[in-house]
Amino acid sequence: MIGAELIPKEDIPKYKLTRASEDHSMELLDKLRGALRLGNEFKSKATITFQTLDGPKCVETTVWTLTEDALQIKNGVVLPLGSLLDIDY
């Protein structure tokens, strides 16, 4: 995502996550499942772009779990699917 600042995954709790202007969760569902598989089976990282009050941010990390509302990464950090802008791997 153009214009998204890359931040360390440990810094995510410092930001207030907000819903994206458009809900991309349904169109990203296949990518999310692929990122989950990559994280669990191959320990590969994905680049996750999400919306915060400070603008779009992105992290490079492994996806550990995925629910219908959120995804979880390392250290129990949860990103609501409604805040996602893009995911790439």
Side-chain angles (χ1 to χ4, degrees):
M1 168 75 41
I2 296 174
E5 177 187 5
L6 179 64
I7 63 170
K9 63 183 169 292
E10 296 82 11
D11 286 356
I12 293 173
K14 296 177 183 177
Y15 294 92
K16 172 82 171 143
L17 302 180
T18 185
R19 295 191 68 78
S21 59
E22 294 180 34
D23 186 353
H24 298 281
S25 57
M26 291 307 292
E27 63 192 61
L28 294 175
L29 197 53
D30 286 338
K31 281 182 154 182
L32 289 165
R33 289 181 183 136
L36 177 65
R37 182 170 183 238
L38 284 173
N40 287 326
E41 294 181 25
F42 303 104
K43 307 302 181 222
S44 294
K45 294 183 179 185
T47 301
I48 303 166
T49 306
F50 54 94
Q51 188 65 43
T52 73
L53 288 179
D54 296 315
K57 306 294 179 197
C58 65
V59 294
E60 293 177 350
T61 189
T62 53
V63 175
W64 285 22
T65 59
L66 176 64
T67 68
E68 64 183 53
D69 299 326
L71 63 87
Q72 181 181 5
I73 61 174
K74 194 171 186 175
N75 296 330
V77 175
V78 176
L79 295 170
L81 296 186
S83 71
L84 297 184
L85 298 170
D86 196 15
I87 186 162
D88 196 25
Y89 44 86

Coordinates of all heavy atoms in Angstrom, one line a residue:
M1 N 0.9 -1.2 0.0 CA 0.0 0.0 0.0 C 0.9 1.2 0.0 O 1.7 1.4 0.9 CB -0.9 -0.1 1.2 CG -1.7 1.2 1.6 SD -3.1 1.7 0.7 CE -4.1 0.3 0.3
I2 N 0.7 2.1 -1.0 CA 1.5 3.3 -1.1 C 1.2 4.2 0.0 O 0.1 4.4 0.4 CB 1.2 4.0 -2.5 CG1 1.7 3.0 -3.6 CG2 1.9 5.3 -2.6 CD1 1.3 3.5 -5.0
G3 N 2.3 4.8 0.6 CA 2.1 5.7 1.7 C 2.0 5.2 3.1 O 1.8 5.9 4.0
A4 N 2.0 3.8 3.2 CA 1.9 3.2 4.5 C 3.3 3.2 5.2 O 4.3 2.8 4.5 CB 1.3 1.8 4.4
E5 N 3.4 3.6 6.4 CA 4.7 3.6 7.1 C 4.9 2.2 7.7 O 4.0 1.6 8.3 CB 4.6 4.6 8.3 CG 5.8 4.6 9.2 CD 5.7 5.5 10.4 OE1 4.6 6.0 10.6 OE2 6.7 5.6 11.1
L6 N 6.1 1.6 7.4 CA 6.5 0.3 8.0 C 6.9 0.5 9.4 O 7.7 1.4 9.7 CB 7.6 -0.3 7.2 CG 8.1 -1.6 7.6 CD1 7.0 -2.7 7.5 CD2 9.4 -2.0 6.8
I7 N 6.2 -0.2 10.3 CA 6.5 -0.1 11.7 C 6.9 -1.5 12.3 O 6.5 -2.5 11.7 CB 5.4 0.5 12.5 CG1 4.1 -0.4 12.5 CG2 5.1 1.9 12.1 CD1 3.0 0.0 13.4
P8 N 7.6 -1.6 13.4 CA 7.9 -2.9 14.0 C 6.5 -3.4 14.6 O 5.7 -2.6 15.1 CB 8.9 -2.6 15.1 CG 9.4 -1.2 14.9 CD 8.3 -0.5 14.0
K9 N 6.3 -4.7 14.5 CA 5.1 -5.3 15.0 C 4.9 -5.0 16.5 O 3.8 -4.9 17.0 CB 5.0 -6.8 14.7 CG 6.1 -7.6 15.4 CD 6.0 -9.1 14.9 CE 7.1 -9.9 15.4 NZ 8.4 -9.6 14.7
E10 N 6.0 -4.8 17.2 CA 5.9 -4.6 18.7 C 5.3 -3.2 18.9 O 4.9 -2.9 20.0 CB 7.3 -4.6 19.3 CG 8.0 -6.0 19.3 CD 8.6 -6.3 17.9 OE1 8.8 -5.4 17.1 OE2 9.0 -7.5 17.7
D11 N 5.3 -2.3 17.9 CA 4.8 -1.0 18.1 C 3.3 -0.9 17.8 O 2.7 0.2 18.1 CB 5.5 0.0 17.2 CG 6.9 0.4 17.7 OD1 7.3 -0.1 18.8 OD2 7.6 1.1 17.0
I12 N 2.6 -1.9 17.3 CA 1.2 -1.9 17.0 C 0.4 -1.4 18.2 O -0.5 -0.5 18.0 CB 0.7 -3.2 16.4 CG1 1.4 -3.5 15.1 CG2 -0.8 -3.2 16.3 CD1 1.0 -4.9 14.5
P13 N 0.6 -1.9 19.4 CA -0.2 -1.4 20.5 C -0.1 0.1 20.8 O -1.0 0.7 21.5 CB 0.3 -2.2 21.7 CG 0.9 -3.5 21.1 CD 1.5 -3.0 19.8
K14 N 0.8 0.8 20.3 CA 1.0 2.2 20.5 C 0.0 3.0 19.6 O -0.2 4.2 19.8 CB 2.4 2.7 20.1 CG 3.5 2.1 21.0 CD 4.9 2.5 20.5 CE 6.0 1.9 21.4 NZ 7.3 2.3 20.9
Y15 N -0.6 2.3 18.6 CA -1.5 3.0 17.7 C -3.0 2.7 18.0 O -3.3 1.6 18.4 CB -1.2 2.7 16.3 CG 0.2 3.2 15.8 CD1 1.3 2.4 16.0 CD2 0.3 4.4 15.3 CE1 2.6 2.8 15.6 CE2 1.6 4.9 14.9 CZ 2.7 4.1 15.1 OH 3.9 4.6 14.7
K16 N -3.8 3.6 17.7 CA -5.3 3.4 17.8 C -5.8 2.9 16.4 O -5.7 3.7 15.5 CB -6.0 4.7 18.2 CG -7.5 4.6 18.1 CD -8.1 4.0 19.4 CE -9.6 4.2 19.3 NZ -10.3 3.1 19.8
L17 N -6.2 1.6 16.3 CA -6.6 1.1 15.1 C -8.0 1.6 14.8 O -8.8 1.8 15.7 CB -6.6 -0.4 15.1 CG -5.3 -1.1 15.4 CD1 -5.4 -2.6 15.4 CD2 -4.2 -0.7 14.4
T18 N -8.3 1.8 13.5 CA -9.6 2.3 13.1 C -10.1 1.5 11.9 O -9.3 0.9 11.2 CB -9.6 3.8 12.9 OG1 -10.9 4.3 12.7 CG2 -8.7 4.2 11.8
R19 N -11.4 1.6 11.6 CA -11.9 0.9 10.4 C -11.4 1.6 9.2 O -11.2 2.8 9.1 CB -13.4 0.9 10.4 CG -14.0 0.1 11.6 CD -15.5 -0.1 11.4 NE -15.8 -1.0 10.3 CZ -15.7 -2.3 10.4 NH1 -15.3 -2.9 11.4 NH2 -16.1 -3.0 9.3
A20 N -11.1 0.8 8.2 CA -10.7 1.3 6.9 C -11.9 2.1 6.3 O -13.1 1.7 6.6 CB -10.2 0.2 6.0
S21 N -11.7 3.0 5.4 CA -12.8 3.7 4.7 C -13.7 2.8 4.0 O -14.9 3.0 3.9 CB -12.3 4.8 3.8 OG -11.4 4.3 2.8
E22 N -13.1 1.7 3.5 CA -13.9 0.6 2.8 C -13.5 -0.7 3.5 O -12.3 -0.9 3.8 CB -13.6 0.5 1.3 CG -14.0 1.7 0.5 CD -13.7 1.6 -0.9 OE1 -13.7 0.4 -1.4 OE2 -13.4 2.6 -1.6
D23 N -14.5 -1.6 3.7 CA -14.2 -2.9 4.3 C -13.6 -3.8 3.2 O -14.3 -4.2 2.3 CB -15.4 -3.5 4.9 CG -15.2 -4.8 5.7 OD1 -14.0 -5.3 5.6 OD2 -16.1 -5.3 6.3
H24 N -12.3 -4.1 3.4 CA -11.6 -5.0 2.4 C -11.6 -6.4 2.9 O -11.0 -7.3 2.2 CB -10.2 -4.5 2.2 CG -10.1 -3.1 1.6 ND1 -10.3 -2.8 0.3 CD2 -9.9 -1.9 2.2 CE1 -10.2 -1.5 0.1 NE2 -10.0 -0.9 1.2
S25 N -12.1 -6.8 4.0 CA -11.9 -8.1 4.6 C -12.4 -9.2 3.7 O -11.8 -10.3 3.6 CB -12.6 -8.2 6.0 OG -13.9 -7.9 5.9
M26 N -13.5 -9.1 3.0 CA -14.0 -10.1 2.2 C -13.2 -10.4 1.0 O -12.9 -11.5 0.6 CB -15.5 -9.9 1.7 CG -16.5 -9.9 2.9 SD -16.4 -11.5 3.8 CE -17.0 -12.6 2.6
E27 N -12.7 -9.3 0.4 CA -11.8 -9.4 -0.8 C -10.4 -9.9 -0.4 O -9.7 -10.5 -1.3 CB -11.8 -8.1 -1.6 CG -11.1 -7.0 -0.9 CD -11.3 -5.7 -1.6 OE1 -12.5 -5.3 -1.8 OE2 -10.3 -5.1 -2.0
L28 N -10.0 -9.7 0.8 CA -8.7 -10.2 1.3 C -8.8 -11.6 1.9 O -7.7 -12.1 2.3 CB -8.2 -9.2 2.3 CG -7.8 -7.8 1.8 CD1 -7.4 -6.9 2.9 CD2 -6.8 -7.9 0.7
L29 N -9.9 -12.2 2.0 CA -10.1 -13.5 2.7 C -9.2 -14.6 2.2 O -8.5 -15.2 3.0 CB -11.6 -13.9 2.6 CG -11.9 -15.0 3.6 CD1 -11.6 -14.6 5.0 CD2 -13.4 -15.3 3.5
D30 N -9.0 -14.7 0.9 CA -8.1 -15.7 0.3 C -6.7 -15.4 0.7 O -5.9 -16.3 1.0 CB -8.3 -15.9 -1.2 CG -9.6 -16.6 -1.6 OD1 -10.1 -17.3 -0.8 OD2 -10.0 -16.4 -2.7
K31 N -6.3 -14.2 0.6 CA -5.0 -13.8 1.0 C -4.7 -14.0 2.4 O -3.6 -14.4 2.8 CB -4.7 -12.3 0.6 CG -4.4 -12.0 -0.8 CD -4.2 -10.5 -0.9 CE -3.3 -10.2 -2.1 NZ -3.0 -8.8 -2.2
L32 N -5.7 -13.7 3.3 CA -5.6 -14.0 4.7 C -5.4 -15.5 5.0 O -4.5 -15.8 5.8 CB -6.8 -13.5 5.5 CG -6.9 -11.9 5.5 CD1 -8.3 -11.6 6.0 CD2 -5.9 -11.4 6.5
R33 N -6.1 -16.3 4.3 CA -6.0 -17.8 4.5 C -4.6 -18.2 4.1 O -4.0 -19.1 4.7 CB -7.1 -18.5 3.8 CG -8.4 -18.3 4.5 CD -9.5 -19.1 3.7 NE -10.8 -18.9 4.3 CZ -11.9 -18.7 3.6 NH1 -11.9 -18.6 2.3 NH2 -13.1 -18.5 4.2
G34 N -4.1 -17.6 3.0 CA -2.8 -18.0 2.5 C -1.7 -17.5 3.4 O -0.8 -18.3 3.7
A35 N -1.9 -16.4 4.0 CA -0.9 -15.9 5.0 C -0.9 -16.7 6.2 O 0.1 -17.0 6.8 CB -1.2 -14.4 5.3
L36 N -2.1 -17.2 6.7 CA -2.2 -18.0 7.8 C -1.5 -19.3 7.6 O -0.7 -19.8 8.4 CB -3.7 -18.3 8.1 CG -3.9 -19.3 9.3 CD1 -3.5 -18.7 10.6 CD2 -5.4 -19.6 9.4
R37 N -1.7 -19.9 6.4 CA -1.0 -21.2 6.1 C 0.5 -21.0 6.0 O 1.3 -21.8 6.5 CB -1.5 -21.7 4.7 CG -0.9 -23.0 4.4 CD -1.5 -23.7 3.2 NE -0.9 -24.9 3.0 CZ -0.3 -25.3 1.8 NH1 -0.4 -24.5 0.8 NH2 0.2 -26.5 1.7
L38 N 1.0 -19.9 5.4 CA 2.4 -19.6 5.3 C 3.0 -19.4 6.7 O 4.1 -19.9 7.0 CB 2.6 -18.3 4.5 CG 2.5 -18.4 3.0 CD1 2.6 -17.1 2.4 CD2 3.6 -19.4 2.5
G39 N 2.3 -18.7 7.6 CA 2.8 -18.5 8.9 C 2.9 -19.8 9.8 O 3.8 -20.0 10.4
N40 N 1.8 -20.6 9.7 CA 1.8 -21.8 10.5 C 2.6 -23.0 9.9 O 3.3 -23.7 10.7 CB 0.3 -22.3 10.6 CG -0.5 -21.4 11.6 OD1 0.0 -20.9 12.5 ND2 -1.7 -21.2 11.3
E41 N 2.6 -23.1 8.6 CA 3.3 -24.3 8.1 C 4.8 -24.0 7.7 O 5.6 -24.8 7.8 CB 2.6 -24.8 6.8 CG 1.2 -25.4 7.2 CD 0.5 -25.9 6.0 OE1 1.1 -26.3 5.0 OE2 -0.7 -26.0 6.1
F42 N 5.0 -22.8 7.3 CA 6.4 -22.4 6.7 C 7.1 -21.3 7.5 O 8.2 -21.0 7.1 CB 6.2 -22.0 5.3 CG 5.6 -23.1 4.4 CD1 4.3 -22.9 4.0 CD2 6.3 -24.3 4.1 CE1 3.7 -23.9 3.2 CE2 5.7 -25.2 3.3 CZ 4.4 -25.1 2.9
K43 N 6.4 -20.7 8.5 CA 7.0 -19.6 9.3 C 7.4 -18.5 8.4 O 8.3 -17.7 8.7 CB 8.2 -20.1 10.1 CG 7.9 -21.3 11.0 CD 6.7 -21.1 12.0 CE 6.5 -22.3 12.8 NZ 5.1 -22.6 13.0
S44 N 6.7 -18.3 7.3 CA 6.9 -17.2 6.4 C 6.1 -15.9 6.8 O 5.0 -16.1 7.3 CB 6.5 -17.6 4.9 OG 7.4 -18.6 4.5
K45 N 6.6 -14.8 6.5 CA 6.0 -13.5 6.8 C 5.2 -13.0 5.7 O 5.4 -13.2 4.6 CB 7.1 -12.5 7.2 CG 7.9 -12.9 8.5 CD 8.9 -11.9 8.8 CE 9.6 -12.3 10.1 NZ 10.5 -11.2 10.6
A46 N 4.2 -12.2 6.1 CA 3.3 -11.4 5.2 C 3.5 -9.9 5.6 O 3.8 -9.6 6.7 CB 1.9 -11.9 5.4
T47 N 3.2 -9.1 4.7 CA 3.2 -7.6 4.9 C 1.7 -7.3 5.0 O 0.9 -7.5 4.1 CB 3.8 -6.8 3.8 OG1 5.2 -7.3 3.6 CG2 3.8 -5.4 4.1
I48 N 1.3 -6.8 6.2 CA -0.1 -6.5 6.5 C -0.2 -4.9 6.7 O 0.5 -4.3 7.4 CB -0.5 -7.1 7.8 CG1 -0.3 -8.6 7.7 CG2 -1.9 -6.8 8.2 CD1 -0.4 -9.4 9.1
T49 N -1.1 -4.4 5.9 CA -1.3 -2.9 5.9 C -2.7 -2.7 6.5 O -3.6 -3.3 6.2 CB -1.3 -2.3 4.5 OG1 0.0 -2.7 3.9 CG2 -1.3 -0.8 4.6
F50 N -2.7 -1.8 7.5 CA -3.9 -1.5 8.3 C -4.1 0.0 8.6 O -3.1 0.7 8.5 CB -3.9 -2.3 9.6 CG -2.7 -2.1 10.4 CD1 -2.7 -1.2 11.4 CD2 -1.5 -2.9 10.2 CE1 -1.6 -1.0 12.2 CE2 -0.4 -2.7 11.0 CZ -0.4 -1.7 12.0
Q51 N -5.3 0.4 8.9 CA -5.6 1.8 9.1 C -5.5 2.1 10.6 O -6.0 1.4 11.5 CB -7.0 2.1 8.6 CG -7.3 3.6 8.6 CD -6.4 4.4 7.7 OE1 -6.2 4.0 6.6 NE2 -6.0 5.5 8.2
T52 N -4.8 3.2 10.9 CA -4.8 3.8 12.3 C -5.3 5.2 12.2 O -5.4 5.8 11.2 CB -3.4 3.7 12.9 OG1 -2.6 4.7 12.3 CG2 -2.7 2.4 12.7
L53 N -5.5 5.8 13.4 CA -5.8 7.2 13.5 C -4.7 8.1 12.9 O -4.9 9.2 12.5 CB -6.2 7.6 14.9 CG -7.5 7.1 15.4 CD1 -7.8 7.6 16.8 CD2 -8.7 7.6 14.5
D54 N -3.5 7.6 13.0 CA -2.3 8.3 12.5 C -2.0 8.0 11.0 O -1.0 8.4 10.5 CB -1.1 7.9 13.3 CG -1.2 8.3 14.7 OD1 -1.6 9.5 15.0 OD2 -0.9 7.5 15.6
G55 N -3.0 7.3 10.3 CA -2.8 7.0 8.9 C -2.4 5.5 8.7 O -2.3 4.8 9.7
P56 N -2.3 5.1 7.5 CA -2.0 3.7 7.2 C -0.6 3.3 7.7 O 0.4 4.0 7.6 CB -2.1 3.5 5.7 CG -2.1 4.9 5.2 CD -2.4 5.8 6.3
K57 N -0.5 2.1 8.3 CA 0.8 1.5 8.8 C 0.9 0.1 8.2 O -0.1 -0.5 7.9 CB 0.8 1.4 10.3 CG 0.5 2.8 11.0 CD 1.6 3.8 10.8 CE 1.3 5.1 11.5 NZ 2.0 6.2 11.0
C58 N 2.1 -0.4 8.2 CA 2.2 -1.8 7.8 C 3.3 -2.5 8.6 O 4.2 -1.8 9.2 CB 2.5 -2.0 6.3 SG 4.0 -1.3 5.7
V59 N 3.2 -3.8 8.7 CA 4.1 -4.6 9.5 C 4.5 -5.8 8.6 O 3.6 -6.3 7.8 CB 3.6 -5.1 10.9 CG1 3.4 -3.9 11.8 CG2 2.3 -5.8 10.7
E60 N 5.6 -6.4 8.9 CA 6.0 -7.7 8.3 C 6.1 -8.7 9.4 O 6.9 -8.5 10.3 CB 7.4 -7.5 7.6 CG 7.3 -6.6 6.4 CD 8.7 -6.4 5.7 OE1 9.7 -6.8 6.3 OE2 8.7 -5.9 4.6
T61 N 5.2 -9.7 9.3 CA 5.1 -10.6 10.4 C 4.4 -11.9 10.0 O 3.9 -12.0 8.8 CB 4.3 -10.0 11.6 OG1 4.3 -10.8 12.7 CG2 2.9 -9.7 11.2
T62 N 4.4 -12.9 10.8 CA 3.6 -14.1 10.5 C 2.2 -14.0 11.1 O 2.0 -13.4 12.2 CB 4.3 -15.4 11.1 OG1 4.6 -15.1 12.5 CG2 5.7 -15.6 10.4
V63 N 1.3 -14.6 10.4 CA -0.1 -14.6 10.9 C -0.3 -15.9 11.6 O 0.0 -17.0 11.1 CB -1.1 -14.5 9.7 CG1 -2.5 -14.7 10.2 CG2 -1.0 -13.2 9.0
W64 N -0.7 -15.8 12.9 CA -0.8 -17.0 13.7 C -2.2 -17.6 13.7 O -2.4 -18.8 13.6 CB -0.4 -16.7 15.1 CG 1.1 -16.6 15.3 CD1 2.0 -16.4 14.3 CD2 1.8 -16.8 16.5 NE1 3.3 -16.3 14.8 CE2 3.2 -16.6 16.2 CE3 1.5 -17.0 17.8 CZ2 4.2 -16.6 17.1 CZ3 2.5 -17.1 18.7 CH2 3.8 -16.9 18.4
T65 N -3.2 -16.8 13.8 CA -4.6 -17.3 13.8 C -5.5 -16.3 13.0 O -5.2 -15.1 12.9 CB -5.2 -17.5 15.2 OG1 -5.2 -16.2 15.9 CG2 -4.5 -18.5 16.0
L66 N -6.6 -16.8 12.6 CA -7.6 -16.0 11.8 C -9.0 -16.4 12.3 O -9.3 -17.6 12.3 CB -7.4 -16.3 10.3 CG -8.4 -15.6 9.4 CD1 -8.2 -14.1 9.4 CD2 -8.1 -16.2 7.9
T67 N -9.8 -15.4 12.6 CA -11.2 -15.6 13.0 C -12.1 -14.8 12.0 O -11.5 -14.1 11.1 CB -11.5 -15.1 14.4 OG1 -11.5 -13.7 14.4 CG2 -10.6 -15.8 15.4
E68 N -13.3 -14.9 12.1 CA -14.2 -14.1 11.2 C -14.1 -12.6 11.4 O -14.5 -11.8 10.6 CB -15.6 -14.6 11.3 CG -16.3 -14.3 12.6 CD -17.7 -14.9 12.7 OE1 -17.9 -16.0 12.4 OE2 -18.6 -14.1 13.1
D69 N -13.5 -12.2 12.6 CA -13.5 -10.8 12.9 C -12.0 -10.2 12.9 O -11.9 -9.0 12.9 CB -14.1 -10.5 14.3 CG -15.5 -10.9 14.3 OD1 -16.2 -10.7 13.3 OD2 -16.0 -11.3 15.4
A70 N -11.0 -11.0 13.1 CA -9.7 -10.5 13.4 C -8.6 -11.5 13.0 O -8.9 -12.7 12.8 CB -9.5 -10.2 14.8
L71 N -7.4 -11.0 12.9 CA -6.2 -11.9 12.8 C -5.3 -11.7 14.0 O -5.3 -10.6 14.5 CB -5.5 -11.8 11.4 CG -4.9 -10.5 11.1 CD1 -3.5 -10.4 11.6 CD2 -4.9 -10.3 9.6
Q72 N -4.6 -12.7 14.3 CA -3.6 -12.6 15.5 C -2.2 -12.8 15.0 O -2.0 -13.7 14.2 CB -4.0 -13.5 16.6 CG -3.1 -13.4 17.8 CD -3.4 -14.4 18.9 OE1 -4.2 -15.3 18.7 NE2 -2.7 -14.3 20.0
I73 N -1.3 -12.0 15.5 CA 0.1 -12.1 15.1 C 0.8 -12.4 16.4 O 0.2 -12.6 17.5 CB 0.7 -10.9 14.4 CG1 0.5 -9.6 15.2 CG2 -0.1 -10.8 13.0 CD1 1.2 -8.4 14.6
K74 N 2.1 -12.4 16.4 CA 3.0 -12.7 17.6 C 2.7 -11.8 18.8 O 2.2 -10.7 18.6 CB 4.4 -12.5 17.2 CG 5.4 -13.1 18.1 CD 6.8 -13.1 17.5 CE 7.8 -13.8 18.5 NZ 9.1 -13.9 17.9
N75 N 2.9 -12.4 19.9 CA 2.7 -11.7 21.2 C 1.2 -11.3 21.5 O 0.9 -10.4 22.2 CB 3.5 -10.4 21.3 CG 5.0 -10.7 21.3 OD1 5.4 -11.8 21.8 ND2 5.8 -9.8 20.8
G76 N 0.3 -12.1 20.9 CA -1.1 -11.9 21.1 C -1.7 -10.6 20.5 O -2.8 -10.2 20.9
V77 N -1.0 -9.9 19.6 CA -1.5 -8.7 19.0 C -2.6 -9.1 18.0 O -2.4 -10.0 17.2 CB -0.4 -8.0 18.3 CG1 -0.9 -6.8 17.5 CG2 0.7 -7.5 19.3
V78 N -3.8 -8.4 18.1 CA -4.9 -8.7 17.3 C -5.2 -7.5 16.4 O -5.3 -6.4 16.9 CB -6.1 -9.0 18.2 CG1 -7.4 -9.2 17.4 CG2 -5.9 -10.3 19.0
L79 N -5.4 -7.8 15.1 CA -5.8 -6.7 14.2 C -7.2 -7.0 13.7 O -7.5 -8.1 13.1 CB -4.8 -6.7 13.0 CG -3.4 -6.4 13.3 CD1 -2.5 -6.6 12.1 CD2 -3.3 -4.9 13.7
P80 N -8.2 -6.1 13.9 CA -9.5 -6.3 13.4 C -9.5 -6.4 11.9 O -8.8 -5.5 11.2 CB -10.3 -5.1 13.9 CG -9.4 -4.4 14.9 CD -8.0 -4.9 14.6
L81 N -10.3 -7.3 11.3 CA -10.3 -7.4 9.8 C -10.8 -6.1 9.2 O -10.4 -5.7 8.1 CB -11.1 -8.5 9.4 CG -10.6 -9.9 9.8 CD1 -11.5 -11.0 9.2 CD2 -9.2 -10.1 9.4
G82 N -11.7 -5.3 9.9 CA -12.2 -4.1 9.3 C -11.1 -3.0 9.2 O -11.4 -2.0 8.5
S83 N -10.0 -3.2 9.8 CA -8.9 -2.1 9.7 C -7.9 -2.5 8.6 O -7.1 -1.6 8.3 CB -8.2 -2.0 11.1 OG -7.4 -3.2 11.3
L84 N -8.1 -3.6 8.0 CA -7.1 -4.1 7.0 C -7.3 -3.3 5.7 O -8.4 -3.1 5.2 CB -7.2 -5.6 6.7 CG -6.9 -6.5 7.9 CD1 -6.9 -7.9 7.5 CD2 -5.5 -6.1 8.5
L85 N -6.2 -2.9 5.1 CA -6.2 -2.3 3.8 C -5.6 -3.2 2.7 O -6.1 -3.2 1.6 CB -5.3 -1.0 3.8 CG -5.8 0.1 4.8 CD1 -4.8 1.2 4.9 CD2 -7.2 0.6 4.3
D86 N -4.6 -4.0 3.1 CA -4.0 -4.9 2.2 C -3.1 -6.0 2.9 O -2.8 -5.8 4.1 CB -3.1 -4.2 1.2 CG -2.7 -4.9 -0.1 OD1 -3.4 -6.0 -0.3 OD2 -1.8 -4.5 -0.8
I87 N -2.9 -7.1 2.2 CA -2.0 -8.1 2.7 C -1.2 -8.7 1.6 O -1.8 -8.9 0.5 CB -2.7 -9.2 3.6 CG1 -1.7 -10.1 4.2 CG2 -3.7 -9.9 2.7 CD1 -2.3 -10.9 5.3
D88 N 0.1 -8.8 1.7 CA 0.9 -9.3 0.6 C 1.9 -10.3 1.2 O 2.4 -10.1 2.3 CB 1.6 -8.1 -0.1 CG 2.1 -8.5 -1.4 OD1 1.6 -9.4 -2.1 OD2 3.0 -7.8 -1.9
Y89 N 2.3 -11.2 0.4 CA 3.4 -12.2 0.7 C 4.1 -12.7 -0.5 O 3.6 -12.5 -1.6 CB 2.8 -13.3 1.6 CG 1.5 -13.9 1.1 CD1 1.5 -15.0 0.2 CD2 0.3 -13.5 1.7 CE1 0.3 -15.5 -0.2 CE2 -0.9 -14.1 1.2 CZ -0.9 -15.1 0.3 OH -2.0 -15.6 -0.1

